[in-house]
Amino acid sequence: MKKTCIVCILLALALLMIAGCTPAGDVQEGTETAAATPDGDRPGTPHALSGTIVVRGFEWGPGVNRVIFTFDQEIDGVFTEGAAITTSHFEREVTNVYLSDELGNAVSGASCYVTVEMVTNFDATGSPFETDMSTEHSVWADEHIVTASFTVWASGSYFTIQFEDDCIDNRVCPELERFTLRDSYTGDYENPLTGETETLTLNYAAYEPDSLTSWDKNPLIIWLHGRGEGGDDIERAILGNEVSALTETEIQSYFTSGDQTGAYVLVVQCPTYWLDGGDGTESRGGVSSRYTEILMDTIQAYIDQNSDVDTSRIYIMGASNGGYMTLEMLINYPDYFAAAVPCSEVYAYYVYARDDLGQYRTFYSQYIKTNEIYLTEDKIQALCQTPIWFVQAITDTLVPANEYTIPTYQALLQAGAENCWCSMYFDVAGTESSNTQYLGHWSWVYLFNNQVSLVQERDEILNAEDDFFSGFRPDPNGGTATVTDGDGSAYGSIFAWLNDQSL
């Protein structure tokens, strides 16, 4: 009787392992190391040949939430219990270990692939990015060391797998794969600082949903990155912020064209900064960008290649540096865009001081603001021609609202801008990392999480006198007022409002 029970238990354990379940015990009969050779191994020893990091775009930036291990033979079962993993020398919490295909999708039978899932949040990102301190651009790290230990069932035995390798060049990212078009545009332009002709190139990538047909006209969303996402790799401009959210069903479903649903998304990257006035450095916004003309030419070149783009429904959005460039484009091309969404924009309302060499003077790393107005009446009138929805947090210390968004928005309302709105938040709290408060500058988190719907009371801002916040009332929801359509119904999302705007 006892022997029968023992056999039954062993059979049950084997079935559990084949299904990828974790048994109560942790039996180990062999070990395997990535650097080891098969010489001397007992027959059937599995070898982890490589590890592939799965990079995903989160609200705080890119993170590694899974690693896919490739074996030299099929694995019959895996164990979550006792599994351990570090990515980029940071110990991660394992949530699951399972048999998968080469892309990390779970499978029910034996497989040559095992995927390890990890808790991924703002404190444990496993980010594959690092900062180039000479440019302050985010770049792919030189290395991303993965070490792992977990138990598998193969060839009728248990084996503890020990793995260590640099996986930075062995990575997959589903969000990047959505942007199937990758290209660049090159042209000669006059440098606004030197007056000399220079050759410039902008990289771009486009998401083009299969649901859109070429015989119908379709809307286009343009996204302009922030300071950290400049350079020569468009992937960094996509992953630096959660731009991929614009390609998700939730946001895509707001955009309609007859019976069609969806919009094209064009991400454009500059080699330095959108705030580069011609010397390769970042200005404070009180200067024309050297990329204004080539950005327009790049956009137009993409449209020329896609005749189904609805030129009456081109929407431009950007964060920080990209927020500056959004307003720069509206000022220089006031009849081109159907609507705009600048987040934490850095278009200077005031002129900032520069030295004899034309460099911006700083005092303890703070730019010196003068009393001269940079956002002149002519510029305000140009901005009034385009529907705009500003997104900002009052706790933004990098781009103080009272020097940028607040005076700009108030000037627009005073100039008679009607379809102009502002969501002003207390701070920035996301949804993907519990109890985490991000930098106040990251207001675009609310945009990509589709949380922007309420705005500030326009009348209070218009009539504000000697008010510290100039009539603004920062709010956890961005405001208390709603934006309504022609029938008086409130828009439930900034994207529903955006979809209704056309030239």
Side-chain angles (χ1 to χ4, degrees):
M1 184 69 177
K2 290 182 179 180
K3 289 183 179 180
T4 302
C5 292
I6 292 172
V7 170
C8 291
I9 291 171
L10 290 174
L11 286 173
L13 285 174
L15 288 173
L16 283 171
M17 288 181 290
I18 291 173
C21 300
T22 302
D26 186 14
V27 182
Q28 301 174 2
E29 292 187 5
T31 59
E32 198 284 320
T33 304
T37 64
D39 295 337
D41 286 345
R42 59 193 175 85
T45 299
H47 297 79
L49 302 176
S50 63
T52 299
I53 57 175
V54 180
V55 181
R56 187 194 139 191
F58 292 89
E59 60 191 13
W60 60 81
V64 173
N65 65 334
R66 291 182 292 164
V67 180
I68 306 166
F69 296 95
T70 302
F71 284 81
D72 61 349
Q73 62 175 276
E74 286 193 336
I75 304 300
D76 299 310
V78 294
F79 298 80
T80 299
E81 183 178 347
I85 190 168
T86 66
T87 63
S88 194
H89 309 291
F90 190 91
E91 186 175 348
R92 307 290 297 279
E93 180 182 348
V94 176
T95 58
N96 198 11
V97 184
Y98 55 88
L99 298 174
S100 71
D101 61 18
E102 61 184 334
L103 299 177
N105 302 305
V107 297
S108 58
S111 175
C112 292
Y113 304 95
V114 171
T115 293
V116 176
E117 284 188 350
M118 302 157 285
V119 170
T120 307
N121 54 39
F122 185 58
D123 297 318
T125 68
S127 176
F129 278 10
E130 60 186 15
T131 301
D132 181 340
M133 298 310 296
S134 65
T135 62
E136 296 189 4
H137 289 159
S138 295
V139 297
W140 290 104
D142 290 333
E143 65 176 21
H144 195 89
I145 304 297
V146 173
T147 62
S149 175
F150 54 92
T151 303
V152 302
W153 171 262
S155 302
S157 299
Y158 299 100
F159 299 90
T160 296
I161 305 301
Q162 302 288 347
F163 177 91
E164 180 173 350
D165 202 4
D166 179 8
C167 300
I168 190 61
D169 292 325
N170 199 16
R171 59 182 185 257
V172 295
C173 180
E175 285 89 348
L176 290 176
E177 293 171 6
R178 297 176 196 165
F179 290 82
T180 54
L181 176 67
R182 311 287 181 89
D183 210 337
S184 63
Y185 183 88
T186 300
D188 293 332
Y189 301 89
E190 181 180 306
N191 185 300
L193 184 63
T194 66
E196 298 178 356
T197 299
E198 60 182 0
T199 300
L200 299 174
T201 297
L202 298 185
N203 295 320
Y204 64 87
Y207 167 71
E208 300 173 327
D210 294 334
S211 60
L212 300 183
T213 58
S214 59
W215 53 83
D216 286 314
K217 292 295 185 179
N218 303 295
L220 169 65
I221 303 170
I222 299 164
W223 175 257
L224 305 177
H225 61 77
R227 175 178 63 183
E229 291 75 53
D232 58 1
D233 183 353
I234 192 63
E235 292 186 346
R236 304 200 302 262
I238 297 171
L239 285 175
N241 312 119
E242 200 178 6
V243 184
S244 58
L246 298 176
T247 70
E248 298 282 358
T249 301
E250 180 178 356
I251 292 178
Q252 283 282 308
S253 64
Y254 286 103
F255 295 91
T256 56
S257 303
D259 294 332
Q260 292 197 130
T261 300
Y264 293 121
V265 179
L266 179 67
V267 178
V268 188
Q269 180 189 42
C270 73
T272 57
Y273 319 92
W274 295 119
L275 280 162
D276 180 354
D279 61 1
T281 65
E282 183 189 41
S283 74
R284 198 54 180 173
V287 64
S288 296
S289 173
R290 76 196 302 178
Y291 300 112
T292 305
E293 289 185 68
I294 187 175
L295 176 55
M296 175 51 71
D297 288 346
T298 300
I299 294 170
Q300 192 58 52
Y302 175 77
I303 293 172
D304 289 344
Q305 296 169 11
N306 296 271
S307 59
D308 60 311
V309 169
D310 187 345
T311 55
S312 70
R313 299 179 65 200
I314 301 173
Y315 310 117
I316 188 166
M317 314 163 71
S320 190
N321 254 247
Y324 154 83
M325 200 61 184
T326 297
L327 296 186
E328 172 84 349
M329 296 302 286
L330 299 188
I331 289 169
N332 284 275
Y333 307 97
D335 300 320
Y336 192 87
F337 302 98
V341 180
C343 302
S344 306
E345 55 89 8
V346 203
Y347 197 97
Y349 185 79
Y350 300 97
V351 172
Y352 286 80
R354 286 192 281 181
D355 59 23
D356 294 338
L357 298 176
Q359 301 291 330
Y360 281 84
R361 294 186 298 176
T362 61
F363 180 71
Y364 294 116
S365 299
Q366 296 297 315
Y367 289 88
I368 302 173
K369 177 172 66 68
T370 71
N371 292 323
E372 183 182 352
I373 303 298
Y374 181 71
L375 195 63
T376 60
E377 280 189 37
D378 288 345
K379 294 176 181 177
I380 289 292
Q381 288 301 319
L383 290 175
C384 283
Q385 297 184 47
T386 305
I388 307 175
W389 192 319
F390 293 86
V391 180
Q392 177 85 30
I394 201 66
T395 50
D396 188 344
T397 57
L398 294 179
V399 183
N402 63 345
E403 294 183 18
Y404 295 89
T405 296
I406 285 179
T408 295
Y409 185 63
Q410 190 172 41
L412 285 168
L413 296 189
Q414 292 170 348
E418 295 183 0
N419 198 354
C420 191
W421 314 96
C422 181
S423 297
M424 181 68 69
Y425 294 87
F426 274 136
D427 49 28
V428 180
T431 61
E432 291 184 309
S433 190
S434 300
N435 302 316
T436 298
Q437 183 172 311
Y438 301 120
L439 291 175
H441 188 53
W442 293 7
S443 64
W444 54 86
V445 167
Y446 291 116
L447 177 71
F448 290 138
N449 283 342
N450 193 23
Q451 294 174 287
V452 181
S453 61
L454 299 178
V455 296
Q456 296 290 300
E457 297 282 355
R458 286 166 49 99
D459 289 344
E460 288 190 22
I461 296 168
L462 259 176
N463 302 321
E465 294 182 6
D466 300 324
D467 187 322
F468 181 76
F469 286 135
S470 300
F472 284 79
R473 300 290 180 263
D475 187 273
N477 297 310
T480 56
T482 58
V483 181
T484 58
D485 60 19
D487 297 327
S489 299
Y491 289 111
S493 165
I494 190 173
F495 295 107
W497 168 81
L498 203 63
N499 180 65
D500 265 3
Q501 310 309 309
S502 63
L503 294 177

